[in-house]
């Protein structure tokens, strides 16, 4: 259960800080991938898919919320 919460919190933190270091280009994906691999390695075999889904959803959702500036 704690791994699921950590995945959500970590994904949300990376998503919220993502627009701040977007100037790095595609290199900004490296911390996201490393965190995803670390979460997968840390979680148990049966919950890896759920941890990945929660991490990815929290990351994408919070990145879209933090990076949206409205219509130009």
């Amino acid at each position: 259960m704690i791994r699921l919460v950590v995945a959500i919190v970590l994904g949300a933190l990376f998503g919220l800080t993502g627009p701040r270091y977007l100037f790095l280009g595609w290199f900004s994906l490296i911390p996201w991938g490393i965190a995803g691999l670390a979460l997968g390695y840390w979680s148990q075999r049966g919950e890896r898919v759920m941890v990945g889904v929660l991490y990815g959803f929290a990351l994408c959702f919070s990145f879209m919320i933090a990076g949206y500036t409205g219509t130009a």
Side-chain angles (χ1 to χ4, degrees), residues 21-45:
Y21 59 87
L22 199 57
F23 64 89
L24 294 174
W26 67 272
F27 288 113
S28 63
L29 299 176
I30 293 173
W32 295 355
I34 290 172
L37 289 173
L39 282 170
Y41 181 75
W42 180 52
S43 61
Q44 295 175 354
R45 186 175 182 95

Side-chain angles (χ1 to χ4, degrees), residues 3-72:
R3 291 177 180 96
L4 300 176
V5 174
V6 169
I8 293 170
V9 170
L10 193 62
L13 286 176
F14 273 119
L16 290 174
T17 59
R20 307 290 182 251
Y21 59 87
L22 199 57
F23 64 89
L24 294 174
W26 67 272
F27 288 113
S28 63
L29 299 176
I30 293 173
W32 295 355
I34 290 172
L37 289 173
L39 282 170
Y41 181 75
W42 180 52
S43 61
Q44 295 175 354
R45 186 175 182 95
E47 64 183 11
R48 285 184 183 151
V49 172
M50 185 57 69
V51 166
V53 166
L54 291 174
Y55 171 71
F57 179 78
L59 177 68
C60 293
F61 185 76
S62 61
F63 181 75
M64 286 189 289
I65 295 296
Y68 181 70
T69 59
T71 57

